[in-house]
Amino acid sequence: MSPPPPPLGRPRKKDAQLFDPALCDTELIDVRTQFTQGRWSPVRAMLSATADDWDRRGHRLTVLAQTPAATAWAREWLLAEPESADAATLLACATVYAALRRKASPEAAEEACRTAAARQPADPTPWLALLLLSGTHGNPEGFARHFDQVRARHREHHHAHHLMVARLAEGAPGGGHDPLHEVYDFASWAAEESPADSPLAVLPVIAHSERYRVLAAAGQAPDPTDYWSGRRARQVLRSAFDWWLEWEREDHPRNRIDLNFLAHAKLCEGRPAEAAALFHRIGRHATRAPWSYPDRDPHKAFLAARTAALGSA
């Protein structure tokens, strides 16, 4: 593993980079700025270069789709290039996010996704967009079908597995802490099915965080010390941390999401020194989840956690 970067130094005002969904993808950040100004040619070039790196493609398209006027600019691109699968997929993702904001109908979003899927059958991204849509405007059966469609195209799809874990964690919210809950089994299965260098090795940690979120919201939250120090929790946290030490997938576009979850869990476990090493890697690329769990201000929670961990290192 390469040595950690130097300390963070003086923070910028309000830590402006916190919670940017682009994370550390500097090319995406530059292209996004141009896209918000109506210039879609850089988007076309970036997506063409991304090719079939499906995790990166999904990350870039969903981030672009959340920008202001994304639907309008994607439509303009599609009008100029009616056969473009990239334009159709961006429009599909943008329409899904518009539907989630109640600015478009779920039916229009689903139609856009299926049109995009037909344009490029090997691409899991339109099915990822349908998965996002069905999480709010769908049923469990449809959600599972869309997940299967994503996984059939990319077995290790990072974003889709995170969405599935979050959905499964919501089962039996009033049942209290059950070590045999299906979300833990699913996460363990997905991690074991993946290659040794796959970031899905961290998925069991995500499962523990998401289940705690659900229990807390239902007024069933177990004692945090017991929850994060139990035998299963200790095992998954040790395995995930060891995976990070050995593989450290800095090349993965969503790796900071995993590191945020792992740093949060390490603090909850009572291991601030290990959390400090993770905070050095995270830098200012914080993610709202899990620092908002349960019902917290993520900005304050992240900064307080980072200060506590780095102060103990």
Side-chain angles (χ1 to χ4, degrees):
M1 186 183 78
S2 56
L8 293 168
R10 180 176 297 177
R12 299 178 183 179
K13 185 178 181 180
K14 291 294 289 182
D15 289 88
Q17 292 180 348
L18 291 182
F19 311 128
D20 184 346
L23 302 172
C24 51
D25 191 333
T26 54
E27 181 182 2
L28 172 59
I29 292 169
D30 178 59
V31 168
R32 180 182 59 185
T33 299
Q34 299 180 68
F35 183 59
T36 59
Q37 298 166 352
R39 300 200 294 271
W40 46 261
S41 292
V43 176
R44 177 178 56 189
M46 180 183 70
L47 293 178
S48 177
T50 306
D52 61 354
D53 182 346
W54 299 127
D55 276 336
R56 193 173 305 279
R57 177 176 171 82
H59 172 64
R60 288 176 164 180
L61 280 162
T62 53
V63 169
L64 290 170
Q66 296 175 62
T67 60
T71 305
W73 296 132
R75 283 203 181 103
E76 181 177 296
W77 178 11
L78 195 57
L79 283 172
E81 299 181 0
E83 302 304 316
S84 171
D86 288 345
T89 305
L90 178 54
L91 178 59
C93 294
T95 308
V96 163
Y97 278 104
L100 296 177
R101 297 191 302 267
R102 302 185 183 278
K103 300 295 184 181
S105 71
E107 294 77 15
E110 181 172 355
E111 181 181 356
C113 290
R114 295 193 181 278
T115 297
R119 292 278 181 93
Q120 193 170 353
D123 184 4
T125 311
W127 296 100
L128 172 66
L130 279 169
L131 191 64
L132 286 161
L133 182 68
S134 60
T136 301
H137 299 286
N139 54 51
E141 294 76 17
F143 189 90
R145 286 197 303 271
H146 296 147
F147 174 77
D148 288 343
Q149 291 288 347
V150 174
R151 199 168 189 273
R153 290 160 174 81
H154 180 34
R155 290 177 63 83
E156 302 166 57
H157 200 288
H158 190 273
H159 195 167
H161 280 83
H162 275 233
L163 292 173
M164 177 56 84
V165 162
R167 183 63 177 257
L168 289 176
E170 294 170 356
H177 178 43
D178 177 7
L180 301 180
H181 192 278
E182 63 178 336
V183 71
Y184 304 130
D185 289 340
F186 171 81
S188 296
W189 167 80
E192 291 167 2
E193 284 282 303
S194 301
D197 66 341
S198 172
L200 293 187
V202 184
L203 203 61
V205 175
I206 313 301
H208 270 72
S209 295
E210 294 292 359
R211 184 59 181 164
Y212 190 84
R213 165 184 63 85
V214 173
L215 292 173
Q220 299 277 332
D223 178 81
T225 302
D226 294 340
Y227 185 80
W228 292 103
S229 300
R231 184 176 63 85
R232 181 192 286 267
R234 289 199 313 271
Q235 288 176 343
V236 300
L237 284 169
R238 171 48 55 192
S239 295
F241 192 76
D242 287 348
W243 176 89
W244 175 68
L245 290 173
E246 181 173 1
W247 295 102
E248 193 182 9
R249 284 292 304 275
E250 284 284 312
D251 62 312
H252 195 279
R254 288 167 50 88
N255 81 307
R256 293 301 195 280
I257 294 174
D258 290 328
L259 297 190
N260 274 268
F261 272 94
L262 190 51
H264 175 268
K266 279 294 177 182
L267 277 177
C268 291
E269 188 190 13
R271 294 183 176 272
E274 292 179 351
L278 293 158
F279 277 111
H280 277 296
R281 286 299 186 209
I282 291 167
R284 293 187 177 87
H285 299 294
T287 54
R288 293 188 182 278
W291 303 108
S292 60
Y293 299 167
D295 193 28
R296 302 175 68 192
D297 180 321
H299 186 270
K300 291 180 180 178
F302 174 78
L303 294 181
R306 184 177 68 180
T307 298
L310 295 180
S312 69

